[in-house]
Every structure is written in C-alpha cells, then in structure tokens.
Amino acid sequence: MNFAVYRDLLRIVPVRRLLIVGMIARFPHSAAGVLLTLHVVQTLERGYAEAGAVAAVMTIGIAVGAPWRGRRVDTAGLRAALIPSVIAEAVIWSVAPHLSYEWLLLAALVGGVFTLPVFSVVRQSLGVLVSGNSRRTAFTLDAVATEVIFMGGPALGAVLATQVSTVLGLTVVGFSTAVAGLFLMWFNPPTRSTQPGAVGATLSGAQDDAAAVEVLVASAPAHVSEASAELVPGARPARAERARARMAHSFAWLTLPVAVVMIVAAGAGLVLAGTDVGIIAVLEADQRAFELGWVFLAWCSASVVGGLVYGAMHRPLSPLVLLLLMAVLTIPMGFADSTVVLALLSIAPGLLCAPVLSAASERIAHLVTEERRGEAMGWYGSALTSGVALGAPLAGVMIDSVGPWGGFVAVGAAAAALSLACLGAQQVLRRRRFA
C-alpha cells in the first residue's frame, strides 16, 4: 500500500483545511445522540421510550431536510445555504435543554430539518477540489476521519452529561456546530466545477453514490442517521433532477431481490439505533454512564476492522445472512454485567456492521441498472432511515417494560425474524423456479 498518496493529498491546503473543518463540524453532533438520550432520562426524568421518540423525530427531521439542504447549496451557494443552519443550530440547541418534553420533541424535529449539511458539503467539495484517482483517496481520508470522530464523540457526550450537565452539553453542541458552520462559510469551498478553486468535474451520479455510501459505512455503527439521510431521494444534487423526473414512472426496478435489500437496510438501521439506546440504558442503570466511551470505542473499532476485512474479500456475502448474524449476536449484549463484558460482547456484532451496509449497497448496484440506480439508492437510504427511526423507540419501550436487556433482545429478535422470513421466502421461490 502506497501511503505517500495520503501525504501528497494532505499537502493541498484547501483539501487539508476542508478535512479538518469537516472533523470539527461532525464532532458536536457525534455527541448529541448520547446527550439527548441522557437529557430525557436523567434531567427530564422520562423513560427510554420517550428518549427513543426524540431520537426518532430528529432522524425524521434530518431525512426531511436533506433534499432541501442539498438543493439550497446547489442553487443559492454554500454561504447563503448555511445561514439558516448556523442560526438554527445555535438557537435551537441552546433553548431545547430548557424545554418540557413535549416542546423538546418539536425542537428535535426542527433541529433535524436544519442540521448543518456537513456530509454533503464535504463530499461535494472534495469531489471538485481533486480529480482522477485522488478523489478515491480523498473520500477514504474523509471516511477515516469520520470513523475517528464517531468513536470519540459519544464518550465526550457521556462525560458532559454525567460530570457536568446535559443542559450545558446540548448548548455546547449547538454553539460548536454553529461555529463550525461559520468556518465553512468563511472557507467557502467550491461545490461545483464552475466555481473558483475547483480542479475536477462535478461528481457524477455514480460517483456521488459511491462517496455517500463510503461515508455511511464509516458513520456506522454509532451515527448512521445523518449519513443515511444523504441517500434519500433528492438529497444529493447529482441525483436530484433525475430522481424528480422519474418519480412518476413505474418502479420496474423494484424486484423481489431489491425489496429484500431494502428490508436488510431497515433491519440494520433498527439494530444499530436500538443497540445505541441499549448501551446507554445498561450503563446508566448501573450508574456507569461515564464509561460509555469504552463500549463505543470497542463497538466502532470492531466495525472498522470488519469493514477492512470485508473489503479485502474477493467474493460478496449475502447481506441477509450478515444481518441475521449481527442481529443474533446483538442479543447477548443485554446480559452484560459490567462495562468490560459489554464492550467485549459488542465486538462480534460490531464486526458485522460495516459488512452489512457494504454488502447491501453492493447488492443494489448489482441488481439495478445504472439508469435507475440513483433512485434505488435513494429508497435504500429511506429504508435505512426508517429502520433507525423505529429502532430507538422500540428498544426504549422494551427497556422501560422489562429492563435494559429488553432493548437488545427486541431489536435483535425483530431483525433476526425479518432475516429468517426473507431467507425462507427466497428458498420457496427457488424451489418453485426449479420445480
């Protein structure tokens, strides 16, 4: 492996600056999920079902706002497009911690809609700041930076929540994200090939798909909600016009195998979001929430290793089988009796996280023609986002009903049942085909 290509790329000042600003901008939101959950449970003294509902509405808000944010960057320019997000991040997250639960739900929804579009801005900018093979290197660097951020962010969120206060923590998240937005406005990196500073062509639809999926995989397992929203229909300028033009056409590309991949995406989102809440619940119940960082470090690191191993394999694996294994291996996490045991038990499902998402996106690319692939990837993102939005409340309801272990069992069993049902349906169809 030639690591010199990374060194050469980092010597390009605009690229280096963009990657650093991207890391700074993502860090606050990587801590927001933990802070929100602990704020609802500890500060507002509500249950995990209510905390899951807050996470769900925020995920929905991010998905709803993604197409609008992407179009604004494309039509109004980066600086004008970021102004609403900068203002909203500072105002909403400084006010939200002081609201009642009912108003917090609304604040989370609006905050999701106006989330700073870091993922799309960094992806589009990297695409035009470099060209040729350097693009892949740049996207890989961004993915690595994303993985590092999402390992450390939850730990910082837990420390702020347990050692200081969730109110201050959420306020810091809002103002830090707003400052990062101001940095992006000051830097004003090009997002189109026609803008000053651009050296490469604007990303094609296929290139945008690949870059968005790479960052999605890097965001897993702890923070897939924002990254998955980048795949929803209309969220990416390179695909938006085609998606709108074809939305009224038939869904001929939606064959049974493609539908199975959508189910895998929803199941993966369900497990990841539920596991996130479950980890917090187990540690919070034993007054060890401040140790959450060690568990997230093990879980996320395992995903990185699993992604590297899967990427080195020469033959693809069934996403259904991978999801089934991840779901089954998630269930034992509920019976951990210490932080160390929980961290160790998170490694097995963590190893399968990135492979599940990678295998599913590869399967979409294999099953759907290039002309309809952008639309298919958009619905894949929607399926994943739907699973994420459902996973946290489902886990929360079971945690409140039977205890912290119930969250892991609920999402693991639900995803395993989905996988087994799809595998059974596939076997029946194969038998009929060859009968």
Side-chain angles (χ1 to χ4, degrees), residues 7 49 97 110 152 163 182 199 235 249 278 355:
R7 182 192 60 211
V110 177
Q163 305 301 315
L182 291 173
V199 299
H249 288 62

Side-chain angles (χ1 to χ4, degrees), residues 303-374:
S303 180
V304 173
V305 173
L308 291 173
V309 172
Y310 181 81
M313 297 177 67
H314 297 293
R315 60 186 296 251
L317 299 176
S318 167
L320 263 179
V321 174
L322 291 171
L323 175 62
L324 176 60
L325 290 172
M326 184 174 75
V328 171
L329 291 170
T330 295
I331 294 174
M333 292 177 65
F335 304 100
D337 57 2
S338 69
T339 303
V340 173
V341 173
L342 183 61
L344 291 174
L345 289 175
S346 73
I347 292 174
L351 285 169
L352 294 164
C353 174
V356 167
L357 298 175
S358 296
S361 58
E362 288 172 2
R363 190 71 177 147
I364 289 285
H366 175 72
L367 293 170
V368 182
T369 62
E370 187 174 353
E371 290 75 18
R372 306 303 296 271
R373 196 172 297 154

Side-chain angles (χ1 to χ4, degrees), residues 205-244:
Q207 291 169 330
D208 200 35
D209 289 341
V213 168
E214 186 168 0
V215 174
L216 168 65
V217 173
S219 301
H223 199 81
V224 296
S225 57
E226 192 173 342
S228 65
E230 291 295 319
L231 290 170
V232 301
R236 293 161 294 147
R239 289 290 195 185
E241 292 302 323
R242 288 185 180 182
R244 285 193 291 271

